[in-house]
Amino acid sequence: MQVGHGKRGHRARASSGCDPGRRQFLGLTGSCAVGALLGVHWDLTNAAKTTGPSPFDAWIGIAPNGQVVLGVAKAEMGQGVLTSLPTLLAEELDVDWTQVQVQQAPVDPARYDHLTVGSNSIQSLWHPLRVAGARARAALIGAAAARWRVSPEACHTESGAVVGPGDRRVAYGDLVAAAAALIARSDPDIELKRAGEFRLIGRSQRRLDGPGKVNGSAVYGIDIRLPGMLRAVIARCPTLGGRLRSFDSTAARSVPGVRAVFPITPEGPDAFTRGGVAVLAEDSWAAQKGRRQLNIQWDEPQESQCSTRAILAALHRNTSHAGAVAAERGDAPGALARSRRIVEASFELPFLAHATMEPMNATVHVRSDTVEAWLPTQNAADARTAIARVLHRGPDSVTIHQTLVGGGFGRRDATDFVVEAAQVAAAAATPVQLLWTREDDVQFDRYRPAAVHRLRVALDERGFPQAWLDRMSSVSIAAFLEPAETAKPADTEIGGARELPYDIPSFRMEYTPLPCPVPVGWWRSVEDSINAFAVECFLDELASAAGIDPLQYRLELLSSSRRIPQRGGAVIETDRLKRVLTAVAGQSGWAGSQPRGRARGLACHACRGSYIAAVAEVSVAGGGAAVHRIWAAVDCGMVVNPLGVDAQISGGLQFGASAALYEAISIEAGRVVQSNFSDYPLLRIETSPMTDVQILPSSAPPSGVGEIGVPPVAPAVANALFRLTGQRLRALPIQPHLAKIHRDRSSH
């Protein structure tokens, strides 16, 4: 199978403003006659029995020579959608993979859902993409049956051909014209293949975009090269809330290669750009040298002189008193008031950067009547709208070319870097590529919120919780992104703590947002990475206080089969959480002996419809922790590509280990302290744990895997370190806090 992502393809599309998807499709099939193509546009409005415009559709193109083009609207950012989504189509279409080419669907919000967030690609497209393939297959069978004058029931398909009575066979390409007349009449509720009939779904497939990433032909946003293209960087105020007062560009404009220096304004409320001074040059090095030569005066408001210490202190103060009730069952305050045995602890989590390998970038060409943009974005539709708004154009005049994305993790759902590129390109008569340096990327990110949990639990005589009170405070994403009059700050912060799966008679969660100028946004697994740490670490503390094995403690609290409602209509099934716990215990040898000098910790979590349990094996030397291995058992419903799921979970485990051990963004005097990987360290190859992923078979519909691997890692590591050192680590990242404990012990 070939993936339609080559540098030549991107350059060819750069010269025209027409629909790149349709044009490339015609080029691939070698035919411009509409009647010679079979296109499937499936309207979800009818199939889902809903009203309003269809949020997306799936399309297939089949040429007379048998070439099949499968369109994918989701962004490929390492999660494998250019492999897994076409699998769904090809499974029902019954085509040979050697005949298939995958291409990025054109950005058209009326036909497609381009938003690639929340581990939702497979979940949302599992049914519609299969229906699209099945409808096309039914039309092709109908066309062949009519040609042979037999019943469609007497025919079947295999490897891109219809097979009829007497082993007659006709290739799809020879049926396109006749099938095109039947496709509109095919049944939206058509019967799909059963699991036992799958040829591709459930079988490991190597990543189709892998070869291009290995040989360098894959095109990311930062790889775009267009005739006459200039490069740009922006000097932004390093102080939160600061704005440009004045600047002198004399020295910057004298740098060889610098073409122009000019101010750009902050844009909001959706883009949340900071504005600043743009330097436009012939190459990125000249642009950066020019930026360093700028003489800038900033207005730095006193109210933005915040610090990490002050923010964390305010979060702790917020959790010392009652907040707004976000979830409740039973009477937790009453039970706590009556209890003689109460355990209490606070957990602290820092701001985190996304640190994507490909820093933010965007390439935009503004013409008199059209705009083209080449973007590594998770949200192509919103990017198109944002460009149109800032340039005062209609959205239909803006064409977006979706490139491969060198890491998203929620960061590229934002449009700030896209809007900045449009602002700079509007001042040039040629294409402009805006580049964020690594320092820009770290210091002007949309950070994962800082948060504090204060947990109080009343225990029975056996040491099991009878009442659970969770007071949480954080810097709310919803409060940052939405107008104050409509924002619901808790909505983006309490998932994973609100739906406590354990069987505790009384439960109450309270939430208090902290107003703060630090920009925040979606981060891989969003609030689940924050809340799983507090919940699973505290549960381990309770198990230890009761003298009960942490696994058995959890299993007893999950012994009754329950379905816990989640926001949006989903549920958590406690039986499935118990299943992954039991599986990872066997997988890791939890009950067996452990290597000398090492210990293991356990944690579990449910989110995005999936369930995971993880065991981490750690050691300590010289005041530092090492994570040697992480076992994980996952129930993510029916699996499309096991190899892809394994890669996603393994990547999530490594991502979670990096954040747990090392990562933190700190603020001093209203400025982000960290600037690069030298002071924002990430997990490196030599410190990366081995991962062992067990995917449990399931007949449930597929659920998310891109984010589920992250939440259990930090608590599993912290719980393991307690078993090894006897010290509870209630704040992240682990390494500096563990080092402090080591120093304190040494000094005594």
Side-chain angles (χ1 to χ4, degrees), residues 424-448:
V424 177
T430 190
V432 171
Q433 184 175 91
L434 174 71
L435 177 69
W436 288 38
T437 63
R438 178 60 61 193
E439 289 76 12
D440 294 334
D441 211 46
V442 171
Q443 297 203 314
F444 301 102
D445 200 351
R446 304 282 184 82
Y447 306 101
R448 189 194 73 172

Side-chain angles (χ1 to χ4, degrees), residues 465-660:
Q466 296 302 293
W468 178 291
L469 174 62
D470 184 352
R471 286 178 174 165
M472 180 187 181
S473 182
S474 71
V475 182
S476 167
I477 297 172
F480 173 74
L481 294 176
E482 300 170 16
E485 60 273 14
T486 59
K488 297 179 179 178
D491 281 359
T492 54
E493 309 304 313
I494 63 175
R498 168 186 49 210
E499 307 88 359
L500 195 69
Y502 301 109
D503 192 3
I504 301 171
S506 294
F507 166 77
R508 183 171 185 168
M509 182 167 192
E510 300 170 357
Y511 178 75
T512 304
L514 177 69
C516 179
V518 178
V520 291
W522 316 114
W523 190 89
R524 190 173 184 177
S525 79
V526 201
E527 70 266 40
D528 288 278
S529 67
I530 294 171
N531 300 329
F533 177 69
V535 169
E536 288 296 298
C537 284
F538 195 49
L539 205 74
D540 234 64
E541 294 195 29
L542 301 181
S544 177
I548 301 174
D549 177 83
L551 171 66
Q552 297 306 318
Y553 195 83
R554 286 173 171 83
L555 291 176
E556 183 158 342
L557 287 170
L558 293 168
S559 59
S560 62
S561 299
R562 291 176 301 124
R563 292 167 59 87
I564 314 299
Q566 293 181 287
R567 192 165 62 92
V571 296
I572 293 175
E573 300 176 48
T574 57
D575 283 348
R576 296 175 74 181
L577 195 58
K578 185 166 55 177
R579 183 180 179 224
V580 294
L581 277 166
T582 303
V584 83
Q587 175 188 358
S588 63
W590 175 261
S593 60
Q594 298 174 23
R596 176 183 288 271
R598 296 187 182 185
R600 293 174 184 170
L602 175 73
C604 62
H605 194 65
C607 70
R608 309 298 183 269
S610 293
Y611 303 80
I612 187 169
V615 170
E617 184 175 277
V618 306
S619 67
V620 173
V627 182
H628 299 281
R629 190 166 185 173
I630 303 175
W631 295 265
V634 183
D635 176 355
C636 56
M638 194 173 293
V639 173
V640 176
N641 182 4
L643 192 64
V645 170
D646 185 283
Q648 280 283 75
I649 300 299
S650 295
L653 298 174
Q654 302 282 2
F655 193 94
S658 182

Side-chain angles (χ1 to χ4, degrees), residues 439 442-443 664-667 671-676 679-681:
E439 289 76 12
V442 171
Q443 297 203 314
I665 287 291
S666 52
I667 312 293
R671 298 186 176 199
V672 174
V673 174
Q674 290 73 25
S675 63
N676 208 313
D679 50 11
Y680 191 82

